[in-house]
């Protein structure tokens, strides 16, 4: 085992997801990258296993992650329909009548395994739900689509959306076989040629350890973005890009330390979570430029802008997961009032658009006469 190799492999997996796939799938390079055939949100890593291998091979199926993250999470942030709402997903652990150290042990297990144990099966569930909605099919009354699907679910009660075999063969299997078995395979023959037994086994060990570490790294940088006793939850959905929408992106997200390239790199540029949720399709460097401006605007208008060390946020997230603290509910009266303001603004916008269309039609009619 080589710890330098483990760290390098882990960082490769982490940054390939958080810095390349994440921003590409959001459209961060749609307009600025010259290769439109690959670095485009509608083409990157989707359509075939080959494209997945070439662009972004991970436990999650890219098409499923696009639905779960880009759609459901970003446009239902901290609502019950948000599939990444930590407090809701860990409700069973929060309510368990077991010693606190046992809860910490369960959380630690999740930190080392969450991408394949929780994230891959749950993102695939969201893809299945999206397909049902597009087909106009109703979800059975006894099925709760908001419940997370995990490996535990597939091994025990099963999922109404897909089987364990389907998940393994389509979602997790390609990454498991290619990354852990085929990728280091040349070292088996190199080791035989050089009379160095164990090269292949050592490579597999390094990959497994790197997988554990990249899960931990990803947990710290990703799961902590919207959890803590100073983060807000919401009762109702809101119109995308409305006033309520933008307030929610700020009050239900947290930034970590930022500003230098090394710091941002180790955070996978997810330390600009507030700015990312305001403008998901920006490139990474644009967040560096936007952050100070957003912070000043929030200060001017009295909107809470939370920026803390990722390790402080990790502690606050673990407190939410174990039930030692809870998230805040956005005041119901304010939530309703803001939604009413959004509805009025939308009505005015439509009326203005209709008036502009009528005026344009009149000008064209007059010109033709």
């Amino acid at each position: 085992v080589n710890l330098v190799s483990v760290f390098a492999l882990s960082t490769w997996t982490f940054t390939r997801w958080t810095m390349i796939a994440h921003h590409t799938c959001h459209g961060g390079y749609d307009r600025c990258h010259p290769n439109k055939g690959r670095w485009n949100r509608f083409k990157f890593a989707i359509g075939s296993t080959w494209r997945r291998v070439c662009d972004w091979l991970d436990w999650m199926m890219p098409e499923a992650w696009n639905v779960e993250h880009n759609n459901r999470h970003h446009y239902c942030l901290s609502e019950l329909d948000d599939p990444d709402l930590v407090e809701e997903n860990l409700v069973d652990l929060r309510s368990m009548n077991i010693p606190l150290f046992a809860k910490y042990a369960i959380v630690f297990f999740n930190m080392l395994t969450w991408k394949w144990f929780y994230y891959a099966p749950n993102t695939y569930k969201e893809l299945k739900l999206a397909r049902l909605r597009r087909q106009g099919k109703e979800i059975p009354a006894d099925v709760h689509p908001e419940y997370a699907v995990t490996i535990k679910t597939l091994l025990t009660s099963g999922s109404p959306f897909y089987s364990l075999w389907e998940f393994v063969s389509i979602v997790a299997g390609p990454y498991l076989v290619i990354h852990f078995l085929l990728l280091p395979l040349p070292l088996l023959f190199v080791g035989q040629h050089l009379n160095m037994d164990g090269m292949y086994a050592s490579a597999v060990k390094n990959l497994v350890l790197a997988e554990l570490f990249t899960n931990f790294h990803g947990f710290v940088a990703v799961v902590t973005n919207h959890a803590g006793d100073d983060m807000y939850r919401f009762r109702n959905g809101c119109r995308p890009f409305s006033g309520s929408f933008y307030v929610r992106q700020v009050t239900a997200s947290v930034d970590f330390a930022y500003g230098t390239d090394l710091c941002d790199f180790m955070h996978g540029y997810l330390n600009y979570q507030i700015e990312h949720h305001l403008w998901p399709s920006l490139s990474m460097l644009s967040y560096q430029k936007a952050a100070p401006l957003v912070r000043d605007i929030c200060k001017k208008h009295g909107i809470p802008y939370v920026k803390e060390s990722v390790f402080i946020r990790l502690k606050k997230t673990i407190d939410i997961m174990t039930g030692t603290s809870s998230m805040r509910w956005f005041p119901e009266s304010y939530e309703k009032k803001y939604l009413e303001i959004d509805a009025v603004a939308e009505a005015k916008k439509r009326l203005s658009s209709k008036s502009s269309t009528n005026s344009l039609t009149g000008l064209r009619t007059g010109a033709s006469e």
Side-chain angles (χ1 to χ4, degrees), residues 64-90 114 118-127 129 133 144-150 222-223 226 233 277:
W65 187 79
N66 286 344
V67 171
E68 190 272 354
H69 178 80
N70 297 0
N71 189 336
R72 303 297 294 169
H73 170 62
H74 269 263
Y75 293 98
C76 303
L77 181 62
S78 289
E79 302 167 15
L80 189 60
D81 288 335
D82 181 357
D84 294 336
L85 184 55
V86 173
E87 187 174 56
E88 193 65 30
N89 289 340
L90 275 295
W114 72 285
Y118 154 73
Y119 212 28
N122 203 50
T123 52
Y124 193 53
K125 177 208 74 176
E126 292 295 335
L127 177 64
L129 281 170
R133 295 186 186 103
H144 297 276
E146 71 274 12
Y147 288 1
V149 173
T150 66
V222 176
V223 180
H226 308 284
R233 290 186 60 175
H277 268 260

Side-chain angles (χ1 to χ4, degrees), residues 122-233:
N122 203 50
T123 52
Y124 193 53
K125 177 208 74 176
E126 292 295 335
L127 177 64
K128 288 289 191 176
L129 281 170
R131 288 174 176 173
L132 288 176
R133 295 186 186 103
R134 283 199 301 268
Q135 295 167 1
K137 296 181 179 179
E138 292 188 2
I139 300 172
D142 58 339
V143 174
H144 297 276
E146 71 274 12
Y147 288 1
V149 173
T150 66
I151 293 297
K152 178 183 176 183
T153 308
L154 298 175
L155 290 175
T156 54
S157 59
S159 169
F161 305 107
Y162 58 87
S163 65
L164 175 62
W165 170 245
E166 180 181 349
F167 170 75
V168 172
S169 61
I170 296 177
V171 182
Y175 181 72
L176 177 66
V177 173
I178 295 172
H179 185 74
F180 294 101
L181 301 179
L182 298 184
L183 179 65
L185 190 59
L187 294 177
L188 178 64
F189 304 104
V190 172
Q192 291 175 349
H193 179 73
L194 298 177
N195 293 320
M196 297 177 63
D197 295 335
M199 286 187 69
Y200 178 75
S202 295
V204 172
K205 291 177 185 177
N206 285 332
L207 285 168
V208 171
L209 289 175
E211 178 64 31
L212 295 174
F213 190 77
T214 200
N215 270 267
F216 179 84
H217 192 178
F219 184 97
V220 172
V222 176
V223 180
T224 56
N225 292 148
H226 308 284
D229 57 6
D230 50 357
M231 293 286 100
Y232 285 97
R233 290 186 60 175

Side-chain angles (χ1 to χ4, degrees), residues 11-30 38-46 51-63 65-66 69-70 74 115 119 268-270 276 280-282 284:
T11 306
W12 166 53
T13 303
F14 173 76
T15 54
R16 183 181 56 187
W17 172 29
T18 59
M19 294 176 60
I20 299 176
H22 179 235
H23 295 283
T24 304
C25 292
H26 268 297
Y29 305 109
D30 283 3
R38 182 182 183 187
W39 303 98
N40 181 281
R41 75 178 83 186
F42 300 113
K43 298 178 181 180
F44 184 82
I46 63 175
R51 284 261 48 92
R52 184 179 173 189
V53 171
C54 292
D55 293 342
W56 175 37
L57 182 63
D58 210 321
W59 291 109
M60 301 80 71
M61 186 177 180
E63 291 91 337
W65 187 79
N66 286 344
H69 178 80
N70 297 0
H74 269 263
K115 286 174 67 179
Y119 212 28
Y269 280 79
L270 300 179
H276 171 60
S281 60
L282 287 183
M284 292 181 291

Side-chain angles (χ1 to χ4, degrees), residues 220-221 224 256-257 267 308-315:
V220 172
T224 56
F256 308 140
H267 285 88
E308 283 189 318
S309 163
V310 69
F311 299 107
I312 294 176
R313 300 312 305 185
L314 175 62
K315 174 61 169 63

